[in-house]
Amino acid sequence: MTMSSEKSQKPQGCVVVTGASTGIGAAAARELARRGFHVIAGVRRDQDADALRTDRIEPIILDITEPDHIAQLAPLFADDSRTGALRALVNNAAIQINAPVETLPLDEWRRQFEVNLFGHIAVTQALLPALLRNSGRVINISSVGGRVAMPAYGPYAATKFALEALSDSLRRELAPLGVRVVVVEPGAVRTEMSDRVIAATNQQAAAMSPEQRDRYGRLIQAVNAQAAAHIPNGRPVDDAARVIAKAVTAGKPRTRYTVGGDAALITRLSRVLPDRTLDRMLAFGLRPHYPTTSTA
């Protein structure tokens, strides 16, 4: 899409997207701009801003764990004449390290919660007055890991389960006030984050004690091998971006959308299968990825 085609579209208002440096966030920013929105895209680095900027995409440096960064958001909508009315907030920023519950230091647990949960709460609190004025929407990007917690995904899944609960409560609080809250649950999506997660998981595994390595070394290798095997078959980021755009624009949005057949299947199974049956199914899927000997 050219800049001139962006200019020719009638403005649809503004959408804020966090975690827009790469992956799903960047794709969502571009898709929403293509549909005529002015997009304020939160990024972490100047080079990411330069890569994303167009007539319809306005990047800002935004670390959602930094109070000073959060404080800059509300003033952007003190006067809607520049950006247009705030129609939606897409809470997308996230980090992930996979590790057994026993082995991940508490500081790393807290860091994941700061980004994946508390940062979203801070951004939502800052922008809710503008969303309430405009009957806007909050779109929370969760994960299939927000419905099913696989082994070694406990820290990440815990943040996403919490985000799902937060979304349910927020939806029920804001529905009478005209603001809709929607959750998007991607499954396997081909993003730069996938490779970073494997690298971070390996780094964390290297810090385990010898006893922990004996207990969990083969599990970590299997989890990483399974993740690597799924990357080539993951959905393209543009598919996730279109689902997010649907959540923003649908006249009567669902409370939850999945991205990819794997997410749809797992979320359905999680609702109907007994826990032990689901445990066995997940263990069966992981079994082929175990090494014969541990090298962790």
Side-chain angles (χ1 to χ4, degrees), residues 273-284:
L273 290 181
D275 287 345
R276 298 298 185 189
T277 302
L278 188 59
D279 290 350
R280 288 192 292 271
M281 186 188 78
L282 294 174
F284 180 80

Side-chain angles (χ1 to χ4, degrees), residues 35 67 71 83 88 96 133 167 170 196 205 256 288:
R35 297 189 184 210
T83 60
Q96 180 177 354
R133 285 198 307 271
S167 300
L170 190 65
R196 291 198 299 268
R256 283 174 170 80

Side-chain angles (χ1 to χ4, degrees), residues 190-207:
R190 298 195 299 272
T191 69
E192 297 88 340
M193 184 178 177
S194 302
D195 291 330
R196 291 198 299 268
V197 170
I198 292 173
T201 300
N202 283 332
Q203 184 177 7
Q204 180 59 41

Side-chain angles (χ1 to χ4, degrees), residues 200-218:
T201 300
N202 283 332
Q203 184 177 7
Q204 180 59 41
M208 291 191 302
S209 69
E211 293 81 6
Q212 291 171 341
R213 196 170 297 116
D214 285 343
R215 286 194 284 272
Y216 305 115
R218 294 180 69 247

Side-chain angles (χ1 to χ4, degrees), residues 109-292:
W109 280 86
R110 293 188 179 103
R111 186 166 74 96
Q112 288 201 65
F113 270 90
E114 285 292 340
V115 177
N116 296 1
L117 181 67
F118 299 132
H120 297 321
I121 295 171
V123 174
T124 302
Q125 288 178 336
L127 293 179
L128 260 178
L131 290 167
L132 286 163
R133 285 198 307 271
N134 299 296
S135 298
R137 296 181 184 182
V138 178
I139 314 299
N140 287 332
I141 310 305
S142 181
S143 165
V144 66
R147 305 295 289 273
V148 176
M150 297 186 294
Y153 283 74
Y156 178 72
T159 67
K160 294 300 187 179
F161 268 69
L163 184 62
E164 297 264 353
L166 170 71
S167 300
D168 286 343
S169 183
L170 190 65
R171 185 181 70 250
R172 291 158 186 158
E173 291 169 3
L174 297 181
L177 304 176
V179 172
R180 298 188 179 188
V181 178
V182 181
V183 175
V184 176
E185 299 167 334
V189 177
R190 298 195 299 272
T191 69
E192 297 88 340
M193 184 178 177
S194 302
D195 291 330
R196 291 198 299 268
V197 170
I198 292 173
T201 300
N202 283 332
Q203 184 177 7
Q204 180 59 41
M208 291 191 302
S209 69
E211 293 81 6
Q212 291 171 341
R213 196 170 297 116
D214 285 343
R215 286 194 284 272
Y216 305 115
R218 294 180 69 247
L219 170 64
I220 292 297
Q221 291 179 71
V223 165
N224 275 348
Q226 185 184 53
H230 287 171
I231 289 172
N233 298 319
R235 306 297 300 179
V237 291
D238 288 345
D239 284 5
R242 284 189 287 269
V243 173
I244 292 169
K246 182 176 182 180
V248 170
T249 61
K252 294 183 178 179
R254 302 203 303 260
T255 59
R256 283 174 170 80
Y257 293 89
T258 56
V259 180
D262 58 334
L265 176 62
I266 290 173
T267 55
R268 288 194 195 103
L269 291 177
S270 71
R271 291 195 294 265
V272 300
L273 290 181
D275 287 345
R276 298 298 185 189
T277 302
L278 188 59
D279 290 350
R280 288 192 292 271
M281 186 188 78
L282 294 174
F284 180 80
L286 191 59
R287 190 175 304 146
H289 300 281
Y290 273 89
T292 53

Side-chain angles (χ1 to χ4, degrees), residues 4-174:
S4 61
S5 66
E6 284 185 354
K7 289 179 179 179
S8 66
Q9 294 176 330
K10 182 180 178 180
Q12 300 296 316
C14 184
V15 178
V16 173
V17 180
T18 69
S21 293
T22 59
I24 291 174
R30 293 188 175 102
E31 178 65 20
L32 289 162
R34 186 185 69 79
R35 297 189 184 210
F37 291 97
H38 179 87
V39 179
I40 293 179
V43 300
R44 296 291 300 276
R45 304 177 302 173
D46 289 335
Q47 53 264 48
D48 298 327
D50 293 339
L52 200 56
R53 184 178 287 107
T54 71
D55 281 359
R56 282 281 170 82
I57 301 178
E58 178 185 350
I60 61 171
I61 300 300
L62 178 61
D63 180 339
I64 65 172
T65 67
E66 290 289 339
D68 289 347
H69 290 198
I70 300 298
Q72 71 179 315
L73 293 174
L76 294 173
F77 301 97
D79 179 0
D80 291 344
S81 62
R82 186 182 73 82
T83 60
L86 181 59
R87 300 302 182 191
L89 163 63
V90 179
N91 284 315
N92 170 72
I95 59 173
Q96 180 177 354
I97 300 175
N98 294 330
V101 171
E102 178 188 355
T103 69
L104 190 69
L106 280 177
D107 284 349
E108 289 298 326
W109 280 86
R110 293 188 179 103
R111 186 166 74 96
Q112 288 201 65
F113 270 90
E114 285 292 340
V115 177
N116 296 1
L117 181 67
F118 299 132
H120 297 321
I121 295 171
V123 174
T124 302
Q125 288 178 336
L127 293 179
L128 260 178
L131 290 167
L132 286 163
R133 285 198 307 271
N134 299 296
S135 298
R137 296 181 184 182
V138 178
I139 314 299
N140 287 332
I141 310 305
S142 181
S143 165
V144 66
R147 305 295 289 273
V148 176
M150 297 186 294
Y153 283 74
Y156 178 72
T159 67
K160 294 300 187 179
F161 268 69
L163 184 62
E164 297 264 353
L166 170 71
S167 300
D168 286 343
S169 183
L170 190 65
R171 185 181 70 250
R172 291 158 186 158
E173 291 169 3
L174 297 181

